[in-house]
Amino acid sequence: MLKMIIKRIIQSIPTLFIVITITFVLTRLIPGNPARTILGPQASLQDVRAMEEKLGLNKSIAGQYAAYMLNALHGNFGTSYMYNRPVTSLIIERIPNTLLITLTSLIIALFLGVSVGIISAVRQYSFADYFFMILALIGVSMPIFWLGLMLVHLFSVQLGWLPAIGMGTMAKGFQDILRHMVLPCFCLATIPMATFARISRSSMLEVIHNDSITALRARGIREGSVIWKHALKNALPPIVTVLGLQIANAFTGAILTESIFSWPGMGTMIISAIDNRDYMLIQGTVLFIAVVFVVVNLLVDITYMIINPKVNYDTTQGK
């Protein structure tokens, strides 16, 4: 396993290098001048040139890229033009807020989605099965931004039950934060929940008809124990794989969710960085998300090997 971990870490280095390069190029293609954005439309050309020199934007693209890569190798990802603070400190400040809603939504999605999938598999072709799978199909197909706007319109504007924007504050009690979390967490959990339900159902259907499960029933073991203890264990590998993908996708989904509900996390920070042509902040946050993808995929592979020790990544790759 240690050999596999080291190999995957080495393989991730070119991936991160490509992400940095593509992000660097794309940020330079965004229309607008960061120096002009900082100084405002009334700034003189001389002041703009001076600001470009201060920010290092007067260099050639190749020079800017070389300087950024050299600093990145030393752990320095630059200073945000907009906040005038190191990019690393801004990410550290915002990431707990993003993790709060992403992890909460994934826990909700995993618990409800897997439970619904198991019930649908056990009661295949029943009314409950058709009902849950139709809901799952709708959930997978529903755009996050549309769902978020509909939730705000119904529960905040029409009914007035829940706050529409912000994160709340501990000064008003933890209950205030929970009330602010309901809508963004439900919005962010919808697609993963539907995905878990569909994958769990198909995986369980393959398992519960196996001879080993039939033998357990023949031995008189309770049906609940057969399903939840034995069948679910054998059905876990595909669910774990999907879980890894959903953890990574939750960060990208959080960008839209946070912007809709004005949640003070990395999503709103990325949107603000793009609007203000904050090159350093855009590059730093995209690189951070890429690292999250790499780490999550590595953890999924490790978990997969623990659940199913027969998996050998060297043999599956023909080596």
Side-chain angles (χ1 to χ4, degrees):
M1 182 181 293
L2 180 61
K3 181 180 177 181
M4 184 275 293
I5 294 174
I6 296 174
K7 184 177 180 180
R8 292 298 300 271
I9 293 175
I10 294 175
Q11 290 175 344
S12 67
I13 294 176
T15 302
L16 296 177
F17 175 78
I18 293 173
V19 169
I20 292 176
T21 303
I22 293 177
T23 306
F24 183 90
V25 173
L26 291 179
T27 54
R28 269 57 183 181
L29 295 177
I30 299 176
N33 188 333
R36 175 72 66 180
T37 303
I38 294 172
L39 296 176
Q42 305 301 325
S44 64
L45 182 60
Q46 183 178 359
D47 291 337
V48 172
R49 298 301 183 201
M51 180 58 70
E52 288 178 346
E53 183 176 357
K54 179 181 178 181
L55 300 176
L57 300 176
N58 59 326
K59 300 178 183 178
S60 64
I61 298 297
Q64 294 179 45
Y65 178 74
Y68 180 77
M69 290 298 297
L70 183 62
N71 290 329
L73 291 175
H74 290 85
N76 179 12
F77 299 100
T79 301
S80 168
Y81 307 154
M82 183 171 53
Y83 296 97
N84 195 28
R85 291 175 53 192
V87 170
T88 305
S89 67
L90 289 170
I91 293 176
I92 293 174
E93 180 182 287
R94 291 293 189 100
I95 190 60
N97 296 341
T98 297
L99 287 176
L100 180 61
I101 61 170
T102 53
L103 295 182
T104 302
S105 63
L106 283 172
I107 291 172
I108 295 171
L110 183 63
F111 177 76
L112 295 179
V114 172
S115 299
V116 166
I118 293 173
I119 294 172
S120 294
V122 173
R123 301 182 179 181
Q124 188 181 16
Y125 302 132
S126 66
F127 173 78
D129 181 24
Y130 287 118
F131 177 74
F132 286 140
M133 288 304 100
I134 290 174
L135 287 182
L137 179 61
I138 295 173
V140 171
S141 307
M142 192 176 300
I144 290 181
F145 66 88
W146 181 85
L147 176 61
L149 293 175
M150 293 301 100
L151 290 175
V152 169
H153 178 74
L154 177 60
F155 292 102
S156 298
V157 178
Q158 296 294 329
L159 300 176
W161 290 355
L162 296 168
I165 60 174
M167 182 179 174
T169 174
M170 285 298 295
K172 298 181 180 179
F174 189 67
Q175 182 181 0
D176 183 53
I177 296 179
L178 288 178
R179 293 182 70 250
H180 283 81
M181 288 177 58
V182 172
L183 293 183
C185 285
F186 181 80
C187 181
L188 196 56
T190 301
I191 294 178
M193 190 187 309
T195 304
F196 285 134
R198 291 161 62 89
I199 294 297
S200 299
R201 179 183 183 275
S202 61
S203 183
M204 284 293 294
L205 284 175
E206 293 179 3
V207 172
I208 60 179
H209 297 300
N210 288 347
D211 293 339
S212 59
I213 300 300
T214 304
L216 290 173
R217 291 192 177 105
R219 289 168 55 186
I221 298 177
R222 291 185 300 107
E223 184 68 13
S225 180
V226 171
I227 296 299
W228 294 98
K229 184 178 180 180
H230 300 280
L232 179 59
K233 180 180 179 181
N234 295 326
L236 275 180
I239 299 174
V240 171
T241 302
V242 173
L243 174 61
L245 296 174
Q246 293 303 321
I247 291 175
N249 291 336
F251 277 87
T252 56
I255 295 176
L256 285 174
T257 305
E258 290 180 2
S259 61
I260 292 172
F261 296 98
S262 297
W263 186 268
M266 286 191 60
T268 52
M269 187 171 67
I270 293 174
I271 298 297
S272 298
I274 295 174
D275 290 339
N276 291 278
R277 315 298 188 270
D278 195 336
Y279 294 163
M280 293 299 177
L281 189 54
I282 297 172
Q283 292 164 186
T285 50
V286 171
L287 177 60
F288 177 82
I289 293 174
V291 171
V292 170
F293 269 78
V294 170
V295 172
V296 167
N297 287 330
L298 179 60
L299 292 177
V300 168
D301 290 341
I302 295 173
T303 305
Y304 202 101
M305 293 181 69
I306 293 174
I307 295 175
N308 189 358
K310 296 180 181 179
V311 173
N312 187 317
Y313 279 88
D314 289 337
T315 58
T316 55
Q317 293 177 3
K319 298 181 181 180

